[in-house]
């Protein structure tokens, strides 16, 4: 579908088209379109901008990535299509591994996402040799790579299912989540939740990584005071205040 550039919702409509195409190509499961729609509604409520609590969480997420021994960025279909290039840039800045891990897993889809990611860089993308299972999750949902997510100390997830987030936390991992919905299970279970849109959040985390790398002395003082529950309450408060400003 040809969308006129003058359309006030041009960006949103072209993003939808991109996701529909990815669905037709088998990169994205059809359920990924539903997840996107859910995100769009929360993006509206946030005013389609990075709110201050998200900015705080983005800096903390960057600090945690730099403070981790084996951080891994988990990529599903939506994340690959929306922010594949940005994920690779973040992985190179930290540096850390990237693993394709999808909720509706088929080996074909995993390979298609890996191929999609390869267009942005020749860094190794894990996910095709899933040889371990996250305890508490059935196969194929719990499949992951032994040397990737399974043995990571920190996993960054975006648009993630709450069950999987909880299972990763149960394994003792630090989970950094990017999710537009401050109320969902992923947001409540993660160690650090960034309530922001994935294409806004990842470049901002990358910028923080680059800045913090120049002076690592500050890292602990950024991580220690962070309280995820309080940050989520601040995000909800922002939504309420912007609705009040609009007269609701
Ligand atoms: P949970 O299982 O955590 O309670 P859920 O069932 O709503 O949540 P899914 O539908 O599996 O979760 O995942 C989609 C989540 O991703 C939603 O919370 C949605 O708000 C969020 N989301 C969708 N699009 C984006 C995006 N572009 N950036 C960030 N988050 C998004």
């Amino acid at each position: 579908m040809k969308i006129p550039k003058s359309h006030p919702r041009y960006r949103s409509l072209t993003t939808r088209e991109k996701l529909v195409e990815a669905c037709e190509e088998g990169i994205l499961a059809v359920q990924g379109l539903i997840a996107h729609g859910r995100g769009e509604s929360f993006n509206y409520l946030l005013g389609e901008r990075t709110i201050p609590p998200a900015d705080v969480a983005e800096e903390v997420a960057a600090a945690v990535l730099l403070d981790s021994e084996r951080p891994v960025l988990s990529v599903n279909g939506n994340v690959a299509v929306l922010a594949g290039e940005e994920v690779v840039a973040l992985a190179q800045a930290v540096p850390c591994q990237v693993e394709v891990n999808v909720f509706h897993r088929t080996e074909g889809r995993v390979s298609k996402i890996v191929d999609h990611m390869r267009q942005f860089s020749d860094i190794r993308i894990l996910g095709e040799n899933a040889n371990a299972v996250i305890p508490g999750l059935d196969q194929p949902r719990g499949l992951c790579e032994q040397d990737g997510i399974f043995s990571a100390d920190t996993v960054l997830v975006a648009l993630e299912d709450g069950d999987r987030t909880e299972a990763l936390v149960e394994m003792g991992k630090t989970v950094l989540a990017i999710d537009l919905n401050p109320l969902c299970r992923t947001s409540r279970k993660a160690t650090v939740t960034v309530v922001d849109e994935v294409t806004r959040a990842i470049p901002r985390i990358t910028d923080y990584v680059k800045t913090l790398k120049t002076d690592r002395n500050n890292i602990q003082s950024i991580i220690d005071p962070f309280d995820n529950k309080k940050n989520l309450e601040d995000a909800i408060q922002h939504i309420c205040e912007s609705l009040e400003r609009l007269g609701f």
Side-chain angles (χ1 to χ4, degrees):
M1 193 179 118
K2 185 105 182 84
I3 298 151
K5 278 218 161 107
S6 56
H7 195 289
R9 305 289 305 160
Y10 177 79
R11 189 159 187 270
S12 163
L13 295 177
T14 47
T15 301
R16 286 183 194 173
E17 284 305 307
K18 212 156 97 172
L19 289 165
V20 168
E21 272 169 32
C23 205
E24 285 162 359
E25 288 164 17
I27 298 175
L28 190 71
V30 73
Q31 292 84 347
L33 298 178
I34 298 171
H36 181 76
R38 206 196 302 254
E40 276 192 338
S41 57
F42 281 95
N43 205 10
Y44 251 83
L45 293 173
L46 296 172
E48 297 180 321
R49 71 198 159 97
T50 300
I51 57 172
D55 180 51
V56 169
E58 281 157 357
E59 187 177 28
V60 175
V64 171
L65 286 170
L66 290 175
D67 194 44
S68 303
E69 300 272 320
R70 293 177 64 90
V72 175
L73 312 182
S74 178
V75 172
N76 61 21
N78 290 64
V79 175
V81 174
L82 296 175
E85 194 166 3
E86 290 84 349
V87 167
V88 165
L90 175 58
Q92 286 170 326
V94 176
C96 66
Q97 291 186 311
V98 176
E99 178 167 336
V100 171
N101 206 285
V102 296
F103 186 81
H104 300 279
R105 187 184 181 99
T106 64
E107 296 315 313
R109 178 169 306 115
V110 171
S111 297
K112 281 184 180 174
I113 299 173
V114 169
D115 288 347
H116 176 84
M117 295 298 291
R118 284 205 180 111
Q119 72 182 294
F120 305 118
S121 154
D122 54 9
I123 66 165
R124 195 165 153 232
I125 307 287
L126 303 175
E128 286 175 295
N129 302 311
N131 51 359
V133 182
I134 298 165
L137 294 182
D138 306 327
Q139 288 201 39
R141 213 151 49 96
L143 281 171
C144 63
E145 290 209 18
Q146 174 75 42
D147 294 334
I149 287 176
F150 194 83
S151 52
D153 54 351
T154 296
V155 184
L156 182 140
V157 297
L159 292 87
E160 184 58 275
D161 159 64
D163 241 25
R164 212 167 141 256
T165 303
E166 193 169 5
L168 291 170
V169 171
E170 282 294 310
M171 282 179 88
K173 299 184 192 304
T174 299
V175 178
L176 311 174
I178 300 171
D179 200 304
L180 281 160
N181 178 1
L183 304 167
C184 73
R185 280 181 58 219
T186 285
S187 291
R188 287 184 285 121
K189 295 287 174 188
T191 323
V192 177
T193 305
V194 173
V195 181
D196 203 359
E197 205 278 323
V198 69
T199 63
R200 291 195 297 265
I202 293 182
R204 294 174 63 88
I205 296 172
T206 306
D207 285 347
Y208 274 123
V209 163
K210 288 179 180 167
T211 307
L212 292 174
K213 268 173 101 171
T214 62
D215 180 10
R216 287 177 177 257
N217 292 330
N218 284 335
I219 287 180
Q220 220 53 53
S221 64
I222 291 167
I223 298 172
D224 289 345
F226 184 76
D227 176 343
N228 202 47
K229 187 166 178 288
K230 168 80 178 57
N231 196 265
L232 286 174
E233 284 166 7
D234 289 349
I236 294 164
Q237 188 61 34
H238 265 269
I239 292 175
C240 295
E241 283 168 10
S242 48
L243 288 175
E244 273 167 25
R245 270 199 301 275
L246 289 170
F248 294 103

